[in-house]
Amino acid sequence: MIRQATFATLLTTALAGCTTIQLEPLPDGMTNQPPADWAQRSQSLSRFNQWQLSGKLAVKQPSDSGTAVINQWRQQGERYDLSLSSSFLGMGTTRLKGVPGFIELTLANGDTYRSSEPESLVAAATGWNLPIDNLTWWIRGLPAPDGDFRLLFDETNHLAILKQNGWEIRYDRWQGFVDDLPPLPARITALKDDKRVRVVISNWLRED
């Protein structure tokens, strides 16, 4: 099942807070009908599975909030290696390495933890709720392979909102980072209940 929402409305209505957008009826300027090139675009982005990006991450939730610098996020197929620096996470670098269904987390003090439940481990170690397995798909503007989803597109035919697994992902800005690829997300905001995760990408490179 596929659906979605527009862009001007979402920025003004919700980026300041954590309120999800009412999708019935569809907001003005948005459509749940994919553009003609959506299949080709999504296939290109699906094949783009070896990359490196840098940027910033911000988490806001009732218990705490914080920001982190994404020093490096390397993706090799399903395997990710994410390095974050944040005073909130402890001075120094926190590293997340894993594949869907498994994660190894190394804190700044060198303590290392492993789990078959990535989100639970990240929450226990850092206090942050990060949908890490799904985020590797959402960051490219794609739904994750598992779970129903809804898509909405804006007036420029860009993906504006993706709803999946209880999260609402808003695509706030797109940019042509990589030659021979469609534009990639430059800023996304993911909302679930009273939690918000925002990722701003400053650089995105293809890796061979």
Side-chain angles (χ1 to χ4, degrees):
M1 56 196 226
I2 297 182
R3 281 159 143 190
Q4 278 201 312
T6 38
F7 213 65
T9 306
L10 46 120
L11 284 177
T12 56
T13 305
L15 282 185
C18 297
T19 304
T20 58
I21 293 172
Q22 179 65 41
L23 300 187
E24 300 295 348
L26 296 180
D28 292 342
M30 293 196 182
T31 178
N32 57 13
Q33 298 301 312
D37 66 344
W38 172 246
Q40 179 180 358
R41 191 191 314 172
S42 58
Q43 287 174 6
S44 296
L45 294 176
S46 294
R47 291 192 294 266
F48 178 55
N49 62 0
Q50 297 190 75
W51 42 264
Q52 181 180 157
L53 67 77
S54 57
K56 293 183 179 179
L57 172 73
V59 176
K60 182 178 181 180
Q61 53 196 28
S63 57
D64 46 50
S65 301
T67 61
V69 174
I70 304 174
N71 301 311
Q72 179 178 273
W73 179 347
R74 296 188 65 191
Q75 192 77 27
Q76 296 286 327
E78 292 188 327
R79 185 174 299 278
Y80 58 84
D81 186 345
L82 178 59
S83 171
L84 302 174
S85 292
S86 172
S87 57
F88 180 82
L89 297 174
M91 294 305 292
T93 298
T94 298
R95 192 168 183 181
L96 312 175
K97 298 173 65 176
V99 295
F102 178 80
I103 190 171
E104 178 182 282
L105 184 149
T106 304
L107 297 175
N109 63 6
D111 290 347
T112 298
Y113 304 89
R114 298 175 181 85
S115 175
S116 58
E117 299 181 358
E119 290 186 35
S120 297
L121 178 57
V122 172
T126 69
W128 286 5
N129 289 276
L130 291 179
I132 187 67
D133 284 352
N134 289 330
L135 199 56
T136 60
W137 291 88
W138 297 342
I139 198 73
R140 287 176 286 165
L142 296 169
D146 299 323
D148 293 336
F149 60 90
R150 305 177 70 189
L151 304 177
L152 285 176
F153 299 85
D154 65 18
E155 294 167 314
T156 65
N157 292 326
H158 281 125
L159 180 62
I161 294 179
L162 188 161
K163 297 197 76 169
Q164 189 173 29
N165 297 332
W167 287 85
E168 176 177 298
I169 301 90
R170 304 176 189 171
Y171 292 89
D172 309 330
R173 188 169 68 244
W174 295 79
Q175 187 173 328
F177 286 102
V178 180
D179 292 341
D180 302 324
L181 272 182
L184 290 160
R187 185 173 72 176
I188 73 170
T189 303
L191 304 173
K192 183 177 183 180
D193 301 325
D194 49 8
K195 308 174 194 63
R196 184 182 72 189
V197 178
R198 179 171 291 161
V199 182
V200 178
I201 297 104
S202 57
N203 193 32
W204 208 327
L205 301 171
R206 184 197 302 271
E207 288 203 337
D208 297 324

